[in-house]
Amino acid sequence: KTVLLSYPQNKENEEYVIGADVSEGLQGGDFCVVDVIKKSTGMQVAHWWGKLDPFVFAHLLSHIGKEYNMAFLVPERNNHGGTVVTTLREVIKYPKSRIYREQVYDKTKMIETDRLGWITTKQSKAILVDDMRELLRVQKSGIRWIGTLQEFNSYIINDKGGYEAQSGCHDDQVMSFMIAQEGTARSPKQHFGEIKISHDSNDWRSM
């Protein structure tokens, strides 16, 4: 059984950012992880990890996002993350303005287009690590959950210069947290009252 670990606080007129590391949800595989960051402080205020089908995980993300004042979502779009992003927009109708987007050059159309979600590459992971290293240096990491801290302690640079979890360990909680923190720096200013928050008619837990 999985639960949302949350820290009590006053949410009124507070902006939140949610980072999400996506997996296919299979037993024996990686975990899906959600981290909620309070934008004004950079503190981790909620955390969820477990194994869910990407479609159901999108509904969970939407549910948590609405609980945190229509939080700005930064879901990873690699692999099964594409299903999560598509479900958020085309099925759930989570506001496009509250989902992280990147401009990508379309070689076929020879134009730049918007792509929703965070794409993790060797280059973008290095940006995440550098920015996280700076937060740690100034003692403003925002980490509160022991599971997140434990995974950071086993996150290494491999022989090829890449970043990964040590053998036998996971880095899903590391990735969701770093993506969330990156999102706090890139999220637009939220204007409360512009978007009406309507909760899903279907509970993700019943899917």
Side-chain angles (χ1 to χ4, degrees), residues 35-104:
D35 269 301
V36 184
I37 303 294
K38 188 174 181 178
K39 189 175 178 179
S40 62
T41 64
M43 294 299 294
Q44 183 182 38
V45 298
H47 182 81
W48 183 96
W49 77 109
K51 295 182 179 181
L52 287 178
D53 171 271
F55 179 80
V56 180
F57 186 59
H59 282 268
L60 169 65
L61 263 182
S62 173
H63 174 80
I64 297 175
K66 291 173 182 178
E67 287 295 319
Y68 283 87
N69 299 343
M70 199 62 80
F72 186 71
L73 306 184
V74 193
E76 191 178 32
R77 76 167 185 265
N78 298 58
N79 303 319
H80 301 281
T83 300
V84 172
V85 171
T86 299
T87 302
L88 282 168
R89 279 299 302 136
E90 298 183 8
V91 179
I92 302 172
K93 307 297 184 184
Y94 201 89
K96 185 177 180 181
S97 63
R98 301 303 295 160
I99 303 175
Y100 174 78
R101 72 183 73 180
E102 297 176 337
Q103 282 201 326
V104 179

Side-chain angles (χ1 to χ4, degrees), residues 10 17 42 56-57 67 70 84 95 107 112 114 120 136 138 149 188 207:
N10 180 8
V17 176
V56 180
F57 186 59
E67 287 295 319
M70 199 62 80
V84 172
K107 294 181 180 179
E112 287 191 339
D114 282 343
T120 298
L136 289 166
V138 298
L149 183 59
M207 294 181 176

